[in-house]
Amino acid sequence: MKGKIIFKEEQSFVGTWLFYLVIGVCVLATLGAAIPIWLEKETNEGIIGVVIAVVVCFGVIMLFVYSKLYVTIDDKAIYYRYPPFVNSEKKLTQADIKEAYVRKYQPIWEYGGWGYRIRPGKGRAMNIAGNQGLQLILSDGKQLLIGTQKPEAMKQAVRRLKENWGLDG
């Protein structure tokens, strides 16, 4: 059971430039697959190409629509989930975390972009947009970066959480 919530954020790809870029690429791919139908007056290959483009694009767009990053910090722990990649809520307590701080990062350079990322030497990243996040160094040495669109509020929440744990803010 969660304690007193001091930070809560829900992020989605819907409305981001990346979401609109994917839609644009899907429209172009579908139109590109449809050109043989218009030029050759209906061919089986053309119809199959359009069906494949529509199905793949629909799947990718649905992945973007249903990918949401949820982060909650209460007075005792940090909670996160990132469906469809991390479906059940994960809880990190003081025993799980060696270091926690909000930082600026380079999503493309450090992690290869946005989304659910695993990068050797950098650990995992879960981000939707932007370039700021909560960097966690876990007790087992693994690293986790959780992106945020509210860096100042998250900094304050991490400071309060550390104070509750009896650590320096």
Side-chain angles (χ1 to χ4, degrees):
M1 186 167 162
K2 291 182 182 156
K4 182 181 175 200
I5 294 175
I6 53 180
F7 178 85
K8 191 170 191 168
E9 183 176 23
E10 177 183 327
Q11 298 177 61
S12 171
F13 278 110
V14 176
T16 65
W17 67 269
L18 190 56
F19 181 71
Y20 293 117
L21 178 66
V22 167
I23 289 175
V25 168
C26 285
V27 167
L28 290 175
T30 304
L31 290 174
I35 288 174
I37 295 172
W38 291 322
L39 295 178
E40 298 177 22
K41 306 292 183 207
E42 292 208 34
T43 65
N44 286 340
E45 294 84 15
I47 293 171
I48 291 171
V50 171
V51 170
I52 289 172
V54 168
V55 168
V56 169
C57 287
F58 180 77
V60 170
I61 290 171
M62 286 300 101
L63 180 65
F64 272 71
V65 167
Y66 289 107
S67 292
K68 292 185 179 178
L69 177 58
Y70 301 91
V71 181
T72 304
I73 301 175
D74 70 10
D75 53 357
K76 295 181 180 82
I78 298 169
Y79 305 82
Y80 68 92
R81 67 187 181 98
Y82 191 12
F85 308 104
V86 180
N87 287 312
S88 62
E89 185 173 71
K90 304 296 181 194
K91 177 181 178 181
L92 297 171
T93 64
Q94 182 178 5
D96 302 314
I97 300 171
K98 186 175 172 183
E99 290 181 56
Y101 54 93
V102 175
R103 74 174 181 97
K104 212 172 198 177
Y105 65 99
Q106 297 175 321
I108 294 173
W109 183 256
E110 292 182 53
Y111 296 99
W114 294 269
Y116 183 83
R117 302 294 185 169
I118 300 172
R119 194 70 172 239
K122 285 285 185 185
R124 290 179 297 147
M126 291 177 273
N127 51 19
I128 297 290
N131 64 350
Q132 297 203 46
L134 174 59
Q135 180 69 63
L136 300 169
I137 311 297
L138 304 178
S139 299
D140 62 6
K142 293 180 181 174
Q143 297 180 46
L144 173 63
L145 182 109
I146 302 171
T148 184
Q149 300 303 302
K150 302 175 182 178
E152 291 307 315
M154 187 177 265
K155 278 182 193 175
Q156 291 176 9
V158 169
R159 182 183 50 75
R160 285 180 57 193
L161 178 62
K162 287 180 175 180
E163 288 171 1
N164 290 341
W165 287 347
L167 303 173
D168 296 340

Short mmCIF file of all heavy atoms in Angstrom, two decimals, residues 5-70:
data_model
loop_
_atom_site.label_atom_id
_atom_site.label_comp_id
_atom_site.label_asym_id
_atom_site.label_seq_id
_atom_site.Cartn_x
_atom_site.Cartn_y
_atom_site.Cartn_z
N ILE A 5 1.46 10.35 -1.24
CA ILE A 5 2.02 10.59 -2.57
C ILE A 5 2.57 12.01 -2.64
O ILE A 5 1.87 12.98 -2.32
CB ILE A 5 0.97 10.35 -3.67
CG1 ILE A 5 0.60 8.86 -3.69
CG2 ILE A 5 1.48 10.80 -5.03
CD1 ILE A 5 -0.50 8.49 -4.63
N ILE A 6 3.86 12.12 -3.06
CA ILE A 6 4.49 13.43 -3.18
C ILE A 6 4.82 13.79 -4.63
O ILE A 6 5.15 14.92 -4.92
CB ILE A 6 5.75 13.54 -2.28
CG1 ILE A 6 6.73 12.39 -2.53
CG2 ILE A 6 5.35 13.58 -0.82
CD1 ILE A 6 7.99 12.42 -1.67
N PHE A 7 4.68 12.82 -5.54
CA PHE A 7 4.90 13.09 -6.96
C PHE A 7 4.17 12.03 -7.76
O PHE A 7 4.22 10.85 -7.43
CB PHE A 7 6.39 13.04 -7.30
CG PHE A 7 6.69 13.25 -8.76
CD1 PHE A 7 6.80 14.52 -9.30
CD2 PHE A 7 6.85 12.17 -9.62
CE1 PHE A 7 7.07 14.72 -10.65
CE2 PHE A 7 7.12 12.35 -10.97
CZ PHE A 7 7.24 13.63 -11.48
N LYS A 8 3.49 12.46 -8.83
CA LYS A 8 2.79 11.53 -9.71
C LYS A 8 2.83 12.09 -11.12
O LYS A 8 2.56 13.27 -11.32
CB LYS A 8 1.36 11.33 -9.24
CG LYS A 8 0.65 10.19 -9.91
CD LYS A 8 -0.68 9.90 -9.22
CE LYS A 8 -1.22 8.60 -9.74
NZ LYS A 8 -2.31 8.10 -8.96
N GLU A 9 3.17 11.22 -12.08
CA GLU A 9 3.23 11.66 -13.47
C GLU A 9 2.83 10.51 -14.39
O GLU A 9 3.21 9.37 -14.16
CB GLU A 9 4.65 12.12 -13.82
CG GLU A 9 4.81 12.67 -15.21
CD GLU A 9 6.21 13.20 -15.48
OE1 GLU A 9 7.18 12.79 -14.81
OE2 GLU A 9 6.33 14.03 -16.40
N GLU A 10 2.06 10.84 -15.40
CA GLU A 10 1.70 9.89 -16.45
C GLU A 10 2.08 10.52 -17.79
O GLU A 10 1.69 11.65 -18.07
CB GLU A 10 0.19 9.62 -16.42
CG GLU A 10 -0.27 8.71 -17.53
CD GLU A 10 -1.78 8.49 -17.53
OE1 GLU A 10 -2.39 8.49 -16.45
OE2 GLU A 10 -2.34 8.34 -18.63
N GLN A 11 2.86 9.79 -18.58
CA GLN A 11 3.30 10.30 -19.87
C GLN A 11 2.85 9.36 -20.97
O GLN A 11 2.78 8.15 -20.78
CB GLN A 11 4.82 10.40 -19.92
CG GLN A 11 5.42 11.35 -18.90
CD GLN A 11 6.93 11.31 -18.97
OE1 GLN A 11 7.50 11.64 -20.01
NE2 GLN A 11 7.57 10.92 -17.89
N SER A 12 2.57 9.94 -22.14
CA SER A 12 2.12 9.17 -23.29
C SER A 12 2.79 9.72 -24.55
O SER A 12 3.10 10.90 -24.63
CB SER A 12 0.60 9.29 -23.41
OG SER A 12 0.16 8.74 -24.62
N PHE A 13 2.98 8.84 -25.53
CA PHE A 13 3.53 9.27 -26.81
C PHE A 13 2.51 10.06 -27.62
O PHE A 13 2.89 10.84 -28.51
CB PHE A 13 3.96 8.06 -27.65
CG PHE A 13 5.31 7.53 -27.29
CD1 PHE A 13 5.44 6.31 -26.65
CD2 PHE A 13 6.46 8.24 -27.59
CE1 PHE A 13 6.69 5.81 -26.33
CE2 PHE A 13 7.72 7.75 -27.27
CZ PHE A 13 7.82 6.53 -26.63
N VAL A 14 1.23 9.88 -27.37
CA VAL A 14 0.19 10.57 -28.13
C VAL A 14 0.38 12.09 -27.96
O VAL A 14 0.47 12.59 -26.85
CB VAL A 14 -1.22 10.15 -27.68
CG1 VAL A 14 -2.29 10.96 -28.41
CG2 VAL A 14 -1.41 8.67 -27.90
N GLY A 15 0.48 12.77 -29.09
CA GLY A 15 0.67 14.22 -29.06
C GLY A 15 2.12 14.65 -29.18
O GLY A 15 2.40 15.84 -29.34
N THR A 16 3.06 13.72 -29.13
CA THR A 16 4.47 14.07 -29.28
C THR A 16 4.84 14.10 -30.75
O THR A 16 4.16 13.53 -31.60
CB THR A 16 5.39 13.07 -28.56
OG1 THR A 16 5.28 11.79 -29.19
CG2 THR A 16 5.03 12.96 -27.07
N TRP A 17 5.95 14.75 -31.08
CA TRP A 17 6.42 14.81 -32.46
C TRP A 17 6.71 13.41 -32.99
O TRP A 17 6.48 13.14 -34.17
CB TRP A 17 7.64 15.72 -32.58
CG TRP A 17 8.87 15.19 -31.90
CD1 TRP A 17 9.26 15.44 -30.61
CD2 TRP A 17 9.84 14.30 -32.44
NE1 TRP A 17 10.42 14.76 -30.33
CE2 TRP A 17 10.81 14.05 -31.44
CE3 TRP A 17 10.00 13.70 -33.67
CZ2 TRP A 17 11.90 13.23 -31.64
CZ3 TRP A 17 11.11 12.86 -33.87
CH2 TRP A 17 12.04 12.65 -32.85
N LEU A 18 7.19 12.52 -32.13
CA LEU A 18 7.51 11.17 -32.56
C LEU A 18 6.24 10.41 -32.99
O LEU A 18 6.25 9.68 -33.98
CB LEU A 18 8.22 10.42 -31.43
CG LEU A 18 8.85 9.08 -31.74
CD1 LEU A 18 9.84 9.18 -32.90
CD2 LEU A 18 9.54 8.51 -30.51
N PHE A 19 5.15 10.62 -32.28
CA PHE A 19 3.87 9.99 -32.61
C PHE A 19 3.42 10.45 -34.01
O PHE A 19 3.03 9.64 -34.85
CB PHE A 19 2.83 10.34 -31.56
CG PHE A 19 1.48 9.73 -31.80
CD1 PHE A 19 1.26 8.37 -31.66
CD2 PHE A 19 0.41 10.53 -32.17
CE1 PHE A 19 0.02 7.82 -31.88
CE2 PHE A 19 -0.84 9.98 -32.39
CZ PHE A 19 -1.04 8.63 -32.24
N TYR A 20 3.50 11.76 -34.25
CA TYR A 20 3.08 12.28 -35.55
C TYR A 20 4.03 11.84 -36.67
O TYR A 20 3.60 11.62 -37.80
CB TYR A 20 2.93 13.80 -35.50
CG TYR A 20 1.79 14.20 -34.60
CD1 TYR A 20 2.00 14.96 -33.45
CD2 TYR A 20 0.49 13.79 -34.87
CE1 TYR A 20 0.95 15.30 -32.62
CE2 TYR A 20 -0.56 14.13 -34.04
CZ TYR A 20 -0.32 14.88 -32.91
OH TYR A 20 -1.36 15.21 -32.09
N LEU A 21 5.31 11.70 -36.36
CA LEU A 21 6.25 11.19 -37.34
C LEU A 21 5.90 9.76 -37.74
O LEU A 21 5.90 9.42 -38.93
CB LEU A 21 7.68 11.25 -36.78
CG LEU A 21 8.78 10.70 -37.70
CD1 LEU A 21 8.92 11.57 -38.94
CD2 LEU A 21 10.09 10.61 -36.94
N VAL A 22 5.56 8.93 -36.77
CA VAL A 22 5.17 7.54 -37.06
C VAL A 22 3.90 7.50 -37.92
O VAL A 22 3.82 6.73 -38.88
CB VAL A 22 4.99 6.74 -35.75
CG1 VAL A 22 4.29 5.42 -36.00
CG2 VAL A 22 6.34 6.50 -35.09
N ILE A 23 2.94 8.34 -37.59
CA ILE A 23 1.72 8.39 -38.40
C ILE A 23 2.05 8.80 -39.83
O ILE A 23 1.56 8.20 -40.80
CB ILE A 23 0.67 9.32 -37.77
CG1 ILE A 23 0.10 8.68 -36.50
CG2 ILE A 23 -0.46 9.63 -38.76
CD1 ILE A 23 -0.84 9.55 -35.73
N GLY A 24 2.91 9.80 -39.98
CA GLY A 24 3.30 10.24 -41.32
C GLY A 24 4.00 9.15 -42.11
O GLY A 24 3.70 8.94 -43.30
N VAL A 25 4.91 8.43 -41.48
CA VAL A 25 5.61 7.34 -42.14
C VAL A 25 4.61 6.24 -42.53
O VAL A 25 4.70 5.67 -43.62
CB VAL A 25 6.74 6.78 -41.25
CG1 VAL A 25 7.28 5.47 -41.78
CG2 VAL A 25 7.86 7.81 -41.12
N CYS A 26 3.66 5.96 -41.66
CA CYS A 26 2.65 4.94 -41.98
C CYS A 26 1.78 5.35 -43.16
O CYS A 26 1.47 4.52 -44.02
CB CYS A 26 1.79 4.66 -40.74
SG CYS A 26 2.64 3.68 -39.50
N VAL A 27 1.40 6.60 -43.21
CA VAL A 27 0.60 7.08 -44.35
C VAL A 27 1.40 6.95 -45.64
O VAL A 27 0.90 6.44 -46.64
CB VAL A 27 0.13 8.54 -44.12
CG1 VAL A 27 -0.42 9.15 -45.40
CG2 VAL A 27 -0.90 8.60 -43.00
N LEU A 28 2.66 7.37 -45.59
CA LEU A 28 3.51 7.26 -46.79
C LEU A 28 3.73 5.81 -47.20
O LEU A 28 3.70 5.48 -48.38
CB LEU A 28 4.84 7.95 -46.55
CG LEU A 28 4.80 9.48 -46.46
CD1 LEU A 28 6.17 10.04 -46.10
CD2 LEU A 28 4.29 10.09 -47.75
N ALA A 29 3.94 4.93 -46.23
CA ALA A 29 4.14 3.51 -46.55
C ALA A 29 2.89 2.90 -47.18
O ALA A 29 2.97 2.13 -48.15
CB ALA A 29 4.52 2.73 -45.29
N THR A 30 1.72 3.25 -46.65
CA THR A 30 0.47 2.73 -47.20
C THR A 30 0.22 3.27 -48.59
O THR A 30 -0.16 2.52 -49.50
CB THR A 30 -0.71 3.08 -46.26
OG1 THR A 30 -0.42 2.56 -44.96
CG2 THR A 30 -2.01 2.49 -46.76
N LEU A 31 0.47 4.57 -48.78
CA LEU A 31 0.31 5.14 -50.13
C LEU A 31 1.30 4.53 -51.10
O LEU A 31 0.96 4.23 -52.25
CB LEU A 31 0.48 6.66 -50.08
CG LEU A 31 -0.65 7.44 -49.40
CD1 LEU A 31 -0.27 8.92 -49.31
CD2 LEU A 31 -1.96 7.24 -50.12
N GLY A 32 2.54 4.32 -50.64
CA GLY A 32 3.54 3.70 -51.49
C GLY A 32 3.17 2.29 -51.89
O GLY A 32 3.39 1.86 -53.03
N ALA A 33 2.56 1.56 -50.97
CA ALA A 33 2.13 0.20 -51.28
C ALA A 33 0.91 0.21 -52.22
O ALA A 33 0.68 -0.74 -52.95
CB ALA A 33 1.79 -0.56 -50.00
N ALA A 34 0.15 1.30 -52.20
CA ALA A 34 -1.06 1.38 -53.03
C ALA A 34 -0.78 1.82 -54.46
O ALA A 34 -1.61 1.62 -55.35
CB ALA A 34 -2.07 2.32 -52.38
N ILE A 35 0.37 2.38 -54.72
CA ILE A 35 0.69 2.88 -56.07
C ILE A 35 0.57 1.79 -57.13
O ILE A 35 0.00 2.05 -58.20
CB ILE A 35 2.08 3.57 -56.08
CG1 ILE A 35 1.96 4.91 -55.36
CG2 ILE A 35 2.59 3.77 -57.51
CD1 ILE A 35 3.27 5.64 -55.17
N PRO A 36 1.07 0.57 -56.91
CA PRO A 36 0.90 -0.46 -57.95
C PRO A 36 -0.56 -0.73 -58.31
O PRO A 36 -0.87 -1.04 -59.45
CB PRO A 36 1.55 -1.70 -57.35
CG PRO A 36 2.51 -1.18 -56.35
CD PRO A 36 1.90 0.08 -55.81
N ILE A 37 -1.45 -0.59 -57.35
CA ILE A 37 -2.87 -0.81 -57.63
C ILE A 37 -3.38 0.27 -58.59
O ILE A 37 -4.09 -0.01 -59.54
CB ILE A 37 -3.70 -0.81 -56.31
CG1 ILE A 37 -3.29 -1.99 -55.44
CG2 ILE A 37 -5.19 -0.85 -56.61
CD1 ILE A 37 -3.90 -1.98 -54.06
N TRP A 38 -2.99 1.53 -58.33
CA TRP A 38 -3.44 2.62 -59.18
C TRP A 38 -2.82 2.54 -60.58
O TRP A 38 -3.46 2.85 -61.56
CB TRP A 38 -3.10 3.97 -58.56
CG TRP A 38 -3.90 4.26 -57.32
CD1 TRP A 38 -5.21 3.95 -57.10
CD2 TRP A 38 -3.43 4.90 -56.15
NE1 TRP A 38 -5.59 4.36 -55.85
CE2 TRP A 38 -4.52 4.96 -55.23
CE3 TRP A 38 -2.22 5.44 -55.75
CZ2 TRP A 38 -4.42 5.53 -53.98
CZ3 TRP A 38 -2.13 6.02 -54.50
CH2 TRP A 38 -3.22 6.05 -53.64
N LEU A 39 -1.56 2.14 -60.64
CA LEU A 39 -0.87 2.10 -61.94
C LEU A 39 -1.25 0.89 -62.78
O LEU A 39 -1.33 0.98 -64.00
CB LEU A 39 0.65 2.13 -61.74
CG LEU A 39 1.22 3.40 -61.12
CD1 LEU A 39 2.72 3.27 -60.93
CD2 LEU A 39 0.89 4.62 -61.97
N GLU A 40 -1.47 -0.24 -62.12
CA GLU A 40 -1.72 -1.47 -62.86
C GLU A 40 -3.16 -1.96 -62.74
O GLU A 40 -3.47 -3.09 -63.09
CB GLU A 40 -0.75 -2.56 -62.40
CG GLU A 40 0.70 -2.19 -62.66
CD GLU A 40 1.67 -3.23 -62.14
OE1 GLU A 40 1.26 -4.39 -61.95
OE2 GLU A 40 2.83 -2.87 -61.91
N LYS A 41 -4.02 -1.17 -62.23
CA LYS A 41 -5.44 -1.52 -62.11
C LYS A 41 -5.65 -2.82 -61.35
O LYS A 41 -6.04 -3.83 -61.92
CB LYS A 41 -6.09 -1.61 -63.50
CG LYS A 41 -5.91 -0.37 -64.33
CD LYS A 41 -6.68 0.77 -63.75
CE LYS A 41 -6.54 1.97 -64.67
NZ LYS A 41 -6.67 3.20 -64.04
N GLU A 42 -5.36 -2.80 -60.09
CA GLU A 42 -5.57 -3.91 -59.16
C GLU A 42 -4.76 -5.16 -59.48
O GLU A 42 -5.06 -5.91 -60.39
CB GLU A 42 -7.05 -4.29 -59.07
CG GLU A 42 -7.86 -3.21 -58.42
CD GLU A 42 -9.09 -3.77 -57.72
OE1 GLU A 42 -9.05 -4.89 -57.20
OE2 GLU A 42 -10.08 -3.06 -57.71
N THR A 43 -3.76 -5.34 -58.70
CA THR A 43 -2.96 -6.56 -58.76
C THR A 43 -3.00 -7.21 -57.40
O THR A 43 -3.15 -6.53 -56.39
CB THR A 43 -1.49 -6.26 -59.12
OG1 THR A 43 -0.91 -5.48 -58.07
CG2 THR A 43 -1.37 -5.52 -60.44
N ASN A 44 -2.85 -8.50 -57.36
CA ASN A 44 -2.84 -9.20 -56.06
C ASN A 44 -1.67 -8.73 -55.21
O ASN A 44 -1.81 -8.57 -54.00
CB ASN A 44 -2.77 -10.72 -56.27
CG ASN A 44 -4.08 -11.27 -56.75
OD1 ASN A 44 -5.13 -10.65 -56.59
ND2 ASN A 44 -4.04 -12.45 -57.36
N GLU A 45 -0.50 -8.52 -55.85
CA GLU A 45 0.67 -8.08 -55.09
C GLU A 45 0.41 -6.71 -54.46
O GLU A 45 0.80 -6.45 -53.33
CB GLU A 45 1.91 -8.01 -55.99
CG GLU A 45 2.38 -9.35 -56.51
CD GLU A 45 1.63 -9.79 -57.76
OE1 GLU A 45 0.94 -8.97 -58.40
OE2 GLU A 45 1.73 -10.98 -58.09
N GLY A 46 -0.22 -5.83 -55.22
CA GLY A 46 -0.51 -4.50 -54.71
C GLY A 46 -1.46 -4.53 -53.54
O GLY A 46 -1.26 -3.84 -52.54
N ILE A 47 -2.49 -5.34 -53.63
CA ILE A 47 -3.47 -5.45 -52.54
C ILE A 47 -2.80 -6.05 -51.31
O ILE A 47 -3.00 -5.57 -50.19
CB ILE A 47 -4.69 -6.27 -52.99
CG1 ILE A 47 -5.46 -5.50 -54.06
CG2 ILE A 47 -5.59 -6.60 -51.80
CD1 ILE A 47 -6.55 -6.28 -54.74
N ILE A 48 -1.98 -7.07 -51.51
CA ILE A 48 -1.27 -7.69 -50.38
C ILE A 48 -0.35 -6.67 -49.73
O ILE A 48 -0.27 -6.58 -48.51
CB ILE A 48 -0.50 -8.94 -50.86
CG1 ILE A 48 -1.49 -10.04 -51.23
CG2 ILE A 48 0.46 -9.43 -49.77
CD1 ILE A 48 -0.86 -11.24 -51.92
N GLY A 49 0.34 -5.86 -50.54
CA GLY A 49 1.23 -4.82 -50.00
C GLY A 49 0.48 -3.81 -49.16
O GLY A 49 0.96 -3.41 -48.09
N VAL A 50 -0.69 -3.39 -49.63
CA VAL A 50 -1.48 -2.43 -48.87
C VAL A 50 -1.96 -3.04 -47.56
O VAL A 50 -1.88 -2.40 -46.50
CB VAL A 50 -2.68 -1.92 -49.71
CG1 VAL A 50 -3.64 -1.10 -48.85
CG2 VAL A 50 -2.20 -1.10 -50.89
N VAL A 51 -2.43 -4.28 -47.61
CA VAL A 51 -2.90 -4.96 -46.39
C VAL A 51 -1.77 -5.08 -45.38
O VAL A 51 -1.94 -4.79 -44.19
CB VAL A 51 -3.51 -6.34 -46.73
CG1 VAL A 51 -3.76 -7.15 -45.47
CG2 VAL A 51 -4.80 -6.16 -47.52
N ILE A 52 -0.59 -5.49 -45.84
CA ILE A 52 0.56 -5.62 -44.93
C ILE A 52 0.92 -4.25 -44.33
O ILE A 52 1.14 -4.14 -43.12
CB ILE A 52 1.77 -6.25 -45.66
CG1 ILE A 52 1.48 -7.73 -45.94
CG2 ILE A 52 3.04 -6.10 -44.84
CD1 ILE A 52 2.51 -8.40 -46.83
N ALA A 53 0.97 -3.22 -45.16
CA ALA A 53 1.30 -1.87 -44.67
C ALA A 53 0.29 -1.40 -43.63
O ALA A 53 0.66 -0.87 -42.59
CB ALA A 53 1.37 -0.89 -45.84
N VAL A 54 -1.00 -1.62 -43.91
CA VAL A 54 -2.03 -1.18 -42.97
C VAL A 54 -1.93 -1.95 -41.65
O VAL A 54 -2.01 -1.36 -40.57
CB VAL A 54 -3.44 -1.34 -43.60
CG1 VAL A 54 -4.54 -1.18 -42.56
CG2 VAL A 54 -3.62 -0.32 -44.73
N VAL A 55 -1.74 -3.26 -41.72
CA VAL A 55 -1.67 -4.08 -40.49
C VAL A 55 -0.45 -3.69 -39.66
O VAL A 55 -0.54 -3.50 -38.44
CB VAL A 55 -1.66 -5.59 -40.84
CG1 VAL A 55 -1.30 -6.44 -39.64
CG2 VAL A 55 -3.01 -6.01 -41.40
N VAL A 56 0.71 -3.56 -40.31
CA VAL A 56 1.94 -3.19 -39.58
C VAL A 56 1.79 -1.80 -38.98
O VAL A 56 2.11 -1.58 -37.81
CB VAL A 56 3.18 -3.29 -40.50
CG1 VAL A 56 4.39 -2.65 -39.84
CG2 VAL A 56 3.47 -4.74 -40.85
N CYS A 57 1.31 -0.86 -39.77
CA CYS A 57 1.14 0.50 -39.26
C CYS A 57 0.14 0.56 -38.11
O CYS A 57 0.36 1.26 -37.12
CB CYS A 57 0.71 1.44 -40.39
SG CYS A 57 2.05 1.80 -41.54
N PHE A 58 -0.95 -0.17 -38.23
CA PHE A 58 -1.94 -0.22 -37.15
C PHE A 58 -1.28 -0.74 -35.87
O PHE A 58 -1.46 -0.17 -34.79
CB PHE A 58 -3.13 -1.10 -37.54
CG PHE A 58 -4.17 -1.20 -36.47
CD1 PHE A 58 -5.06 -0.15 -36.26
CD2 PHE A 58 -4.26 -2.32 -35.66
CE1 PHE A 58 -6.03 -0.23 -35.26
CE2 PHE A 58 -5.22 -2.40 -34.66
CZ PHE A 58 -6.11 -1.35 -34.46
N GLY A 59 -0.49 -1.80 -35.98
CA GLY A 59 0.20 -2.36 -34.81
C GLY A 59 1.16 -1.38 -34.18
O GLY A 59 1.20 -1.21 -32.95
N VAL A 60 1.94 -0.70 -35.00
CA VAL A 60 2.91 0.27 -34.48
C VAL A 60 2.19 1.44 -33.81
O VAL A 60 2.57 1.88 -32.72
CB VAL A 60 3.85 0.77 -35.60
CG1 VAL A 60 4.70 1.94 -35.14
CG2 VAL A 60 4.74 -0.37 -36.09
N ILE A 61 1.14 1.95 -34.45
CA ILE A 61 0.40 3.07 -33.86
C ILE A 61 -0.25 2.65 -32.55
O ILE A 61 -0.23 3.40 -31.57
CB ILE A 61 -0.62 3.63 -34.87
CG1 ILE A 61 0.13 4.35 -36.00
CG2 ILE A 61 -1.60 4.59 -34.19
CD1 ILE A 61 -0.73 4.76 -37.17
N MET A 62 -0.81 1.45 -32.48
CA MET A 62 -1.41 0.97 -31.23
C MET A 62 -0.36 0.83 -30.12
O MET A 62 -0.63 1.12 -28.97
CB MET A 62 -2.14 -0.36 -31.44
CG MET A 62 -3.45 -0.24 -32.20
SD MET A 62 -4.66 0.83 -31.37
CE MET A 62 -4.52 2.34 -32.27
N LEU A 63 0.84 0.39 -30.50
CA LEU A 63 1.93 0.31 -29.53
C LEU A 63 2.21 1.70 -28.95
O LEU A 63 2.36 1.85 -27.73
CB LEU A 63 3.19 -0.26 -30.18
CG LEU A 63 4.41 -0.41 -29.28
CD1 LEU A 63 4.14 -1.43 -28.18
CD2 LEU A 63 5.62 -0.84 -30.10
N PHE A 64 2.23 2.71 -29.80
CA PHE A 64 2.46 4.08 -29.33
C PHE A 64 1.30 4.57 -28.47
O PHE A 64 1.51 5.25 -27.47
CB PHE A 64 2.68 5.02 -30.52
CG PHE A 64 4.11 5.10 -30.95
CD1 PHE A 64 4.71 4.03 -31.60
CD2 PHE A 64 4.85 6.24 -30.73
CE1 PHE A 64 6.02 4.10 -32.01
CE2 PHE A 64 6.17 6.32 -31.13
CZ PHE A 64 6.76 5.24 -31.77
N VAL A 65 0.07 4.24 -28.86
CA VAL A 65 -1.10 4.69 -28.10
C VAL A 65 -1.13 4.06 -26.70
O VAL A 65 -1.44 4.74 -25.72
CB VAL A 65 -2.40 4.38 -28.88
CG1 VAL A 65 -3.63 4.56 -28.00
CG2 VAL A 65 -2.49 5.26 -30.12
N TYR A 66 -0.80 2.78 -26.61
CA TYR A 66 -0.91 2.08 -25.33
C TYR A 66 0.36 2.12 -24.48
O TYR A 66 0.35 1.67 -23.34
CB TYR A 66 -1.38 0.64 -25.55
CG TYR A 66 -2.83 0.61 -25.97
CD1 TYR A 66 -3.18 0.31 -27.27
CD2 TYR A 66 -3.84 0.92 -25.06
CE1 TYR A 66 -4.51 0.31 -27.66
CE2 TYR A 66 -5.16 0.94 -25.45
CZ TYR A 66 -5.49 0.62 -26.75
OH TYR A 66 -6.81 0.64 -27.14
N SER A 67 1.46 2.65 -25.01
CA SER A 67 2.68 2.81 -24.22
C SER A 67 2.55 4.06 -23.37
O SER A 67 2.49 5.18 -23.88
CB SER A 67 3.90 2.96 -25.13
OG SER A 67 4.17 1.78 -25.81
N LYS A 68 2.50 3.86 -22.08
CA LYS A 68 2.40 4.99 -21.15
C LYS A 68 3.36 4.74 -20.00
O LYS A 68 3.51 3.62 -19.53
CB LYS A 68 0.98 5.14 -20.61
CG LYS A 68 0.01 5.58 -21.66
CD LYS A 68 -1.35 5.85 -21.10
CE LYS A 68 -2.26 6.31 -22.23
NZ LYS A 68 -3.60 6.56 -21.80
N LEU A 69 4.00 5.80 -19.56
CA LEU A 69 4.93 5.72 -18.44
C LEU A 69 4.27 6.32 -17.22
O LEU A 69 3.87 7.48 -17.23
CB LEU A 69 6.23 6.46 -18.79
CG LEU A 69 7.30 6.54 -17.71
CD1 LEU A 69 7.75 5.16 -17.25
CD2 LEU A 69 8.50 7.34 -18.22
N TYR A 70 4.14 5.51 -16.18
CA TYR A 70 3.54 5.94 -14.92
C TYR A 70 4.62 5.96 -13.84
O TYR A 70 5.31 4.96 -13.65
CB TYR A 70 2.44 4.97 -14.47
CG TYR A 70 1.31 4.81 -15.46
CD1 TYR A 70 1.35 3.82 -16.44
CD2 TYR A 70 0.19 5.64 -15.41
CE1 TYR A 70 0.31 3.66 -17.33
CE2 TYR A 70 -0.86 5.48 -16.30
CZ TYR A 70 -0.79 4.49 -17.27
OH TYR A 70 -1.82 4.33 -18.16
#
